[in-house]
Amino acid sequence: MSITLPIALTVAGTDPTGGAGVIADIKSFQSRGVYGMAAVTSLTAQNTLGVQGAYNVPADFLDAQLKSIFTDEVPHAMKSGMIATEEMMRVIKKYVEEYQLPFVIDPVMISTSGDNLIDEGAIDYLRSELLPTALTVTPNIPEAEKLAGLTIENEEDVRKAAKIFIGDIGVQSVIIKGGHLKGDAVDYLFEKDKETTLSSARVDTEHTHGTGCTFSAVITAELARGKPLEAAFRTGKNYITKAIQEAPGLGGGNGPINHFAYEGE
Ligand SMILES: Nc1ncnc2c1ncn2[C@@H]1O[C@H](COP(=O)(O)OP(=O)(O)OP(=O)(O)O)[C@@H](O)[C@H]1O
Ligand SMILES: Cc1ncc(CO)c(N)n1
């Protein structure tokens, strides 16, 4: 007898310490009862202290990985994380357009430790060609500033940026994460005619390595389970808050979060 199991795919880079990137994504999928698949864009050498190196997979070989996946079993939802080059973005766009699955883009640019993870020249392509293929995009404040082309200091600026994402860039929806603003950790989901704001008390901690990866992976897992975007956003927020609160304190720098902490439905 065959078992029906939701399947989510991540297309992202690796962090060998398991706090961010595909390894964090797979942990997140697993903890939500979702079968995880991964196509790797870049291998990085990094830890809680910083990124020591990065090796980009040739775009042809990313294509080969995605072909292996999609010609055998099509996932129910997909996310992307670190995509360093335009060539790799072109490959990913081809599969999203062909298979029309819910696609969450975490537009990763700089790691928590401040290291660059994307070619400057790929940002235009990301903005104009890849973002419009997504169901939702999850920029943090510096990423939203770069993609929307304005400075974000308060909630009014967040709204202005969202208008640019939906009106000019042409995304269906955007989740702007306020983790980098002052005060409570407030996140905003903007859909065409609806706005949902979720707030949690800021945890006073250094251990936020991989929060963005995990948050977008949980949202993707919920979409794979057939949940609507707003419900997926709520679960993502509750999950990430618990995961930060119960961070295990690993490593000598910005440590990872706890993928076992959330116990909600
Ligand atoms: N100190 C904190 N306390 C509570 N929630 C936080 C804290 N820092 C971040 N968050 C939450 O974590 C999620 C990820 O936000 P953040 O802005 O840190 O993403 P990011 O910068 O993309 O992450 P990454 O560190 O992986 O690059 C959001 O839901 C945000 O509100
Ligand atoms: C591979 C990878 N993806 C994303 C991030 C952002 O946290 C990171 N540090 N490393």
Side-chain angles (χ1 to χ4, degrees):
M1 200 177 77
S2 71
I3 298 169
T4 310
L5 191 60
I7 304 169
L9 166 65
T10 175
V11 184
T14 61
D15 162 6
T17 64
V22 294
I23 301 174
D25 292 341
I26 294 290
K27 292 175 188 178
S28 308
F29 295 162
Q30 179 84 11
S31 67
R32 296 303 301 144
V34 172
Y35 181 94
M37 295 180 173
V40 175
T41 54
S42 299
L43 302 161
T44 77
Q46 67 173 293
N47 54 27
T48 65
L49 299 167
V51 179
Q52 292 84 37
Y55 176 84
N56 295 336
V57 168
D60 281 356
F61 200 73
L62 176 62
D63 199 355
Q65 294 176 69
L66 290 170
K67 189 172 178 196
S68 297
I69 292 169
F70 280 94
T71 56
D72 195 19
E73 188 71 50
V74 177
H76 301 104
M78 151 177 177
K79 69 156 275 189
S80 63
M82 175 184 180
I83 319 170
T85 67
E86 179 179 325
E87 290 68 34
M88 286 196 269
M89 291 181 190
R90 287 181 186 277
V91 169
I92 293 165
K93 181 175 155 122
K94 188 176 78 176
Y95 286 90
V96 176
E97 288 183 338
E98 184 171 350
Y99 291 92
Q100 295 286 318
L101 70 175
F103 179 33
V104 177
I105 298 182
D106 183 15
V108 170
M109 293 185 187
I110 296 172
S111 69
T112 316
S113 51
D115 298 279
N116 199 35
L117 297 173
I118 186 170
D119 285 356
E120 190 65 27
I123 295 177
D124 279 346
Y125 187 87
L126 172 65
R127 183 193 295 110
S128 61
E129 299 292 331
L130 199 60
L131 293 190
T133 68
L135 172 65
T136 199
V137 187
T138 63
N140 62 21
I141 296 292
E143 290 156 357
E145 289 183 326
K146 183 92 183 171
L147 291 165
L150 45 76
T151 303
I152 302 176
E153 284 171 351
N154 52 41
E155 206 164 282
E156 199 189 319
D157 298 336
V158 168
R159 284 211 175 81
K160 278 188 204 152
K163 274 212 178 88
I164 295 171
F165 271 97
I166 292 178
D168 300 349
I169 299 175
V171 301
Q172 291 180 52
S173 71
V174 60
I175 296 174
I176 301 183
K177 300 172 294 189
H180 295 248
L181 288 173
K182 293 203 171 60
D184 286 346
V186 186
D187 301 326
Y188 306 83
L189 163 63
F190 297 91
E191 297 170 271
K192 284 231 158 56
D193 303 309
K194 199 167 72 167
E195 184 182 321
T196 311
T197 303
L198 298 178
S199 179
S200 64
R202 177 172 300 277
V203 182
D204 183 15
T205 179
E206 300 261 272
H207 301 307
T208 56
H209 183 76
T211 49
C213 304
T214 300
F215 178 70
S216 57
V218 172
I219 291 171
T220 307
E222 297 308 302
L223 293 173
R225 298 173 70 201
K227 305 284 178 194
L229 182 59
E230 188 189 319
F233 174 47
R234 288 182 191 280
T235 302
K237 180 67 170 167
N238 291 334
Y239 183 113
I240 202 71
T241 304
K242 266 286 211 169
I244 296 170
Q245 283 168 343
E246 296 185 21
L250 305 183
N254 295 123
I257 55 175
N258 187 341
H259 292 93
F260 296 117
Y262 180 75
E263 285 174 344
E265 266 295 291

